[in-house]
Every structure is written in C-alpha cells, then in structure tokens.
C-alpha cells in the first residue's frame, strides 16, 4: 500500500512540501493548529506569495490527494510518515532557536501514535534536537522512529527546489527508516538526485552549515565591496572575476545590500549560539563578523542617500524601491530594504516605500513608514530614490521613466541592477554600493 504522509506545520516549508508530495502522487494531510489558515488552504488560498505554489495547492486539493486539518488525532490515524515542518524563529531576546513549535508538534502527536510509523524532521534545528526528540518518540510508542531530513528550498523558487533538489539528506537510525525515505523520494532519486544517508547530527548540521556557508560567501563579497569603496575598485567586476574561478564559483557572490529573510540571519546566529553551548563557539566566531559585514551594508546604503542630498535627511522626501528581502517573495522578515527604510526614517527622512508583492506585509510590520501603490507614486517629489530589492520592475527602470516624477535626480543602487553610466549620462547622480563614484556599475567586465 502506498505511504500516506502528514505534514505538521503550514508555514512556507509545510505548504510547499505538502503540495509537492501530493503532486508526486502521495495522499497528504497538512496539519496546523490555526483553524483560519486550515480553512484558507482547504479553499485553495495561499497565505504567502510563491510562484507556482497556488496552482500546485489547487491541483492537489482537486485531485483529492491533499487536504488540511486541525486534528492531530486524524493525522495520527492517517499517516505512515509524519513530517515536522514547524518554524524555528529566534527566541525573544536571544539568538537561540525557539523550538516551541517543533516540540509542540512532537508532544501533541506522540501520545496519539498507536502503530509503527516514521516521524521526519524537516525544520532547521540546533544540532542535538533530533536525538532528544527520537528518545521522546520511542518512549511514547513502540515502533515509532525519528529521522531528520532537512529542506534546502529557497523562497521564490520553492516548488522547483523541492521537486528537483540538489541533494536529499536523510539522518536515520535504522535501515528501515532509510528505506522509507528512499520510497518517499523515489522520483527524485530516479531523476539522479544524490541521496545522503547519515546520522541525525550530521543531517541537522547539513542545513545550518549550508546556510552559514552561503551567508559567508555573500558577506565575503560585501567585505570586498567595503575595500573597493575605500580603494577605488568595482566590486561587481571583482565578483565576476572571482566567480570565474571554478574553485570559487559565482553563486552567492552577488554584492549589494546583503542577506536577509527568515533563514540566513537567524540561522547563523542560532548556529553560533549552539556552538557556544557546545563550547566550540570560537570555531564559529567568524559568523559574528559575517553578520556585522552584512548589517554594515544597510547603514552604508542609508549614508549614500544622505551624501547625495548634501548630508541632512531631515524632512527630505525619499523613495525606497523594495520591501521584500529578495525578489520573487513577499517575505519582509529581516528585510535589508525595510531596515534601510527604517534607518532613513530614523534620520528624519520622509520615506515612501513601494514593492510589487510585499506592501501589505511591510505596512503591517512597519506602520510608521509611508507606502505607495505604484512605483511612480512612491517616486513623486523624491529627492533621492533607493533601489533595495532586485525586482525586474526596478532593474528595467530607465532614467527617463522617473526624470519628470522626482524632484531631484539622485539614485542609490543597492542591488547592482542599474546601468550607472546610462543614468549618469541622463543627468542623474547614481551611486552604488561597492563602487566608487568614478567607476561604472556594470554586470560586464570591460
Ligand atoms: C535560504 C537558503 O538559500 C536555502 O537553501 C534554505 O533552504 C533557506 O534559506 C532556509 O533556510 O529555509 P532563502 O532565505 O529563501 O533561502 O533565500 P536566498 O536565496 O538564500 O537569499 C537570502 C538572502 O541573500 C536574500 O536577501 C538575497 O538577496 C541575498 N543574496 C543572495 C545576496 O545578497 N547575494 C547573493 O549572491 C545571493
């Protein structure tokens, strides 16, 4: 008989995993304690913006293979494999991960289990969590086992990442758990995706180590941006040159405003906090620097705007283009763009923000900022425009589009998406992070 799956937690990860598994032919029950969200999902409405996911959700619901419930007893009776996809935000006032939701899923499910099954963690957790949960589960019911199977999907390309991952990591305690996960991921394995069976701790580390490495790469190139600003180089050209070395590679070497979102920033902090608990904090001390480099880009972007308007931003109308932490998402958690908007607001500027997808979330999170429904409305009367998220709509802007809308022709390119020569030739003062004023920003090395 085909395996039946439950997915506990309907955040980003849970919805994507549930819809993708249903599209692969599994019967899937998504579970959340939030009845409003469950109703919304059962009605085919996605609470987040993610290209391609609404279609997958709806086709899963229409096929009858996918449904959502608030009932843990129903989930316990239904599932042969239970995936834990709960969020692990930072604890209030601490860098440590808050495991309340993950612990809650296991604590609620465990006493309801009365037959052998596999519980599989997908959430990003501090190393050591899985072994503790495994003990809890095996004490609750004989034949119930735990495995850890971290997820590496990115917002904005979640569906493709989940259906065709670079690798599958399975932290397992027995050959039978290994077999179950190979059955769940049979399609991806048949398509050639490498499957790494390992121990629980290595599986947990695979996720946080990957995010730490990605964050380090971004901060490395942004550290080079600081040097370029001081020395007169062009970090975009430097990034291309470094990326052409196959040993370095060009992925995650895009300079600019740096990383944000609900994963990289909190994961590197939680990793360092966990390493400190394990008395190996020194080994990850560099992540503190990775974090600082990243945050310094935000103040630098605000300072560039200040420089363009002559130093004082008090009551100066400023247009911020971008609120999402990256293009293709409506997520504003730890958004570099909104952080810069906040810094500018703190400097006394009259900030108006526009974003094609994240306006509602931004407005809810930062009600003190001004918002506009269109790019032109946000730019009207501005003394300086800042491009802070790399949406295509912004990358395709031409100097003439804004020339008659703004009050002063000053623009800061925080994501390296504009052709600075073009803007300067049209009479704009155009500044980019990591590029001195005499050096063109260009995606091409000349
Ligand atoms: C990240 C990881 O890439 C995923 O593999 C992981 O599964 C996910 O976190 C998670 O832990 O759940 P995500 O946060 O969706 O995914 O976004 P990324 O594509 O990693 O981008 C993160 C930030 O880095 C964005 O703000 C982006 O603008 C910035 N970035 C990325 C750069 O500044 N430069 C780059 O070259 C690449």
């Amino acid at each position: 008989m085909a395996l039946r799956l439950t997915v506990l937690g309907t955040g980003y990860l849970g919805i994507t995993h549930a819809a993708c598994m249903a599209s692969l032919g599994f019967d899937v029950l998504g579970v959340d304690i939030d009845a409003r969200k469950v109703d919304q999902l059962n009605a085919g409405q996605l609470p987040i913006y993610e290209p391609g996911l609404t279609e997958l959700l709806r086709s899963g619901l229409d096929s009858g293979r996918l449904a959502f419930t608030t009932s843990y007893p129903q989930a316990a009776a239904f599932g042969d494999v239970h995936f834990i996809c709960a969020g692990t935000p930072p604890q209030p006032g601490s860098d440590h991960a808050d495991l309340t939701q993950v612990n809650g899923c296991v604590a609620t499910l465990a006493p309801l289990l009365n037959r052998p099954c596999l519980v599989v963690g997908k959430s990003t957790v501090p190393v050591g969590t899985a072994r503790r949960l495994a003990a809890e589960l095996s004490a609750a019911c004989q034949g119930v086992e735990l495995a850890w199977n971290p997820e590496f999907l990115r917002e904005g390309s979640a569906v493709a990442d989940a259906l065709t991952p670079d690798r599958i990591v399975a932290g397992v305690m027995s050959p039978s758990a290994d077999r179950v996960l190979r059955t769940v991921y049979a399609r991806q394995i048949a398509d050639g995706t490498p499957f790494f069976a390992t121990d629980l701790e290595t599986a947990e580390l695979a996720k946080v180590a990957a995010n730490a490495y990605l964050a380090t790469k971004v901060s490395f190139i942004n550290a080079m941006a600081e040097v370029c600003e001081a020395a007169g180089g062009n970090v975009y050209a430097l990034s291309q040159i470094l990326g052409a070395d196959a040993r370095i590679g060009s992925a995650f070497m895009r300079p600019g405003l740096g990383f944000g979102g609900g994963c990289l920033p909190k994961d590197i902090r939680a990793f360092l906090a966990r390493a400190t608990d394990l008395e190996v904090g020194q080994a990850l001390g560099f992540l503190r620097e990775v974090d600082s480099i990243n945050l310094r880009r935000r103040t630098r972007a605000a300072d560039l705007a200040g420089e363009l308007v002559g130093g004082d931003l008090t009551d100066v109308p400023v247009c911020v283009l971008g609120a999402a932490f990256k293009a293709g998402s409506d997520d504003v958690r730890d958004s570099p763009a909104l952080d810069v908007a906040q810094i500018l607001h703190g400097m006394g500027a009259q900030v108006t923000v526009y974003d094609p997808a994240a306006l509602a979330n931004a407005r809810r999170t930062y009600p003190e900022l001004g918002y506009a429904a269109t790019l032109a409305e946000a730019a009207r009367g501005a003394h300086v425009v800042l491009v802070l998220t790399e949406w295509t709509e912004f990358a395709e802007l031409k100097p003439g589009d804004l020339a008659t809308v703004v009050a002063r022709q000053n623009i800061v390119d925080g994501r390296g998406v504009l052709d600075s020569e073009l803007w300067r030739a049209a009479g704009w003062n155009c500044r980019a992070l990591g590029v001195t004023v005499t050096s063109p920003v260009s995606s091409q090395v000349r």
Side-chain angles (χ1 to χ4, degrees):
M1 206 178 75
L3 292 171
R4 301 204 300 180
L5 317 181
T6 77
V7 174
L8 312 177
T10 60
Y12 216 93
L13 170 57
I15 302 172
T16 307
H17 188 58
C20 286
M21 285 295 136
S23 80
L24 291 174
F26 290 98
D27 285 335
V28 184
L29 187 61
V31 188
D32 203 292
I33 50 174
D34 182 341
R36 211 175 53 92
K37 210 165 165 199
V38 163
D39 289 345
Q40 207 182 345
L41 287 164
N42 277 328
Q45 274 151 22
L46 207 57
I48 49 168
Y49 172 92
E50 179 62 41
L53 191 53
T54 302
E55 294 77 354
L56 216 58
L57 169 71
R58 290 186 183 163
S59 78
L61 295 168
D62 292 346
S63 70
R65 280 195 296 273
L66 177 62
F68 294 87
T69 181
T70 54
S71 166
Y72 267 76
Q74 192 188 342
F78 180 89
D80 303 302
V81 186
H82 302 278
F83 286 97
I84 304 170
C85 292
T88 54
Q91 285 176 23
S94 155
D95 286 344
H96 286 88
D98 183 347
L99 296 176
T100 308
Q101 295 175 51
V102 169
N103 293 341
C105 288
V106 173
T108 314
L109 183 69
L112 301 168
L113 297 173
N114 55 15
R115 64 182 165 96
C117 62
L118 186 65
V119 177
V120 183
K122 286 192 86 64
S123 308
T124 304
V125 292
V127 58
T129 305
R131 193 133 327 249
R132 171 177 60 77
L133 295 175
E136 266 179 52
L137 281 162
S138 63
C141 175
Q142 217 183 4
V144 176
E145 211 185 300
L146 184 92
W148 214 261
N149 165 226
E151 178 59 59
F152 300 98
L153 62 81
R154 293 160 298 176
E155 296 185 18
S157 54
V159 172
D161 288 351
L163 289 174
T164 53
D166 290 335
R167 76 292 210 190
I168 295 164
V169 177
V172 289
M173 297 170 77
S174 73
S176 69
D178 180 290
R179 266 195 308 277
V180 169
L181 282 173
R182 284 180 196 272
T183 307
V184 168
Y185 293 113
R187 175 78 65 87
Q188 286 95 331
I189 294 168
D191 289 345
T193 305
F195 183 94
F196 295 97
T198 183
D199 55 85
L200 296 179
E201 287 75 15
T202 306
E204 290 168 310
L205 283 169
K207 176 60 187 279
V208 286
N211 276 2
Y213 190 76
L214 295 172
T216 303
K217 251 189 132 181
V218 174
S219 275
F220 175 83
I221 198 63
N222 282 334
M224 295 306 110
E226 287 190 40
V227 178
C228 284
E229 282 157 14
N234 179 330
V235 76
Y236 289 92
L238 182 61
S239 165
Q240 278 205 313
I241 294 163
L242 290 173
D245 184 329
R247 296 168 304 172
I248 298 174
S250 57
F252 268 74
M253 286 284 273
R254 219 173 53 241
L257 203 48
F259 59 85
C263 303
L264 261 45
K266 63 111 175 143
D267 285 352
I268 59 167
R269 291 171 197 151
F271 194 16
L272 178 55
R274 180 63 183 139
T276 305
D277 292 346
L278 293 166
E279 297 183 0
V280 285
Q282 211 178 4
L284 298 190
F286 70 94
L287 289 178
R288 204 171 288 116
E289 208 49 56
V290 165
D291 203 3
S292 305
I293 293 164
N294 193 50
L295 297 177
R296 276 204 299 275
R297 290 291 77 192
R298 303 179 186 186
T299 39
R300 179 69 190 134
D303 288 346
L304 271 183
E307 284 170 26
L308 283 176
V309 300
D312 185 7
L313 280 159
T314 313
D315 293 327
V316 171
V318 171
C319 165
V320 164
L321 297 182
F325 84 102
K326 68 173 185 184
S329 168
D330 68 348
D331 196 341
V332 299
R333 286 176 295 169
D334 204 337
S335 162
L338 284 178
D339 207 7
V340 174
Q342 279 283 69
I343 295 169
L344 293 165
H345 174 75
M347 291 163 112
Q350 290 170 18
V351 181
T352 306
V353 181
Y354 166 72
D355 187 283
L359 272 187
N361 285 343
R363 206 189 293 270
R364 237 188 332 270
T365 319
Y366 300 92
E368 62 278 22
L369 299 173
Y371 294 94
T374 64
L375 195 162
E377 200 188 310
R380 187 157 300 124
H383 287 205
V384 58
V385 176
L386 295 97
V387 178
L388 301 181
T389 307
E390 63 281 25
W391 287 104
T392 313
E393 184 181 352
F394 307 153
E396 287 176 349
L397 266 179
K398 295 282 169 287
D401 299 338
L402 294 181
T404 57
V405 180
V406 296
R408 306 239 171 104
Q409 297 190 352
N410 295 314
I411 192 158
V412 175
D413 182 4
R415 292 291 182 182
V417 294
L418 303 177
D419 180 342
S420 64
E421 279 178 292
L422 192 76
W423 285 76
R424 288 201 195 111
W428 286 71
N429 296 311
C430 181
R431 300 287 302 273
L433 292 170
V435 185
T436 43
V437 79
T438 48
S439 189
V441 187
S442 169
S443 55
Q444 292 305 313
V445 182
R446 283 141 214 270

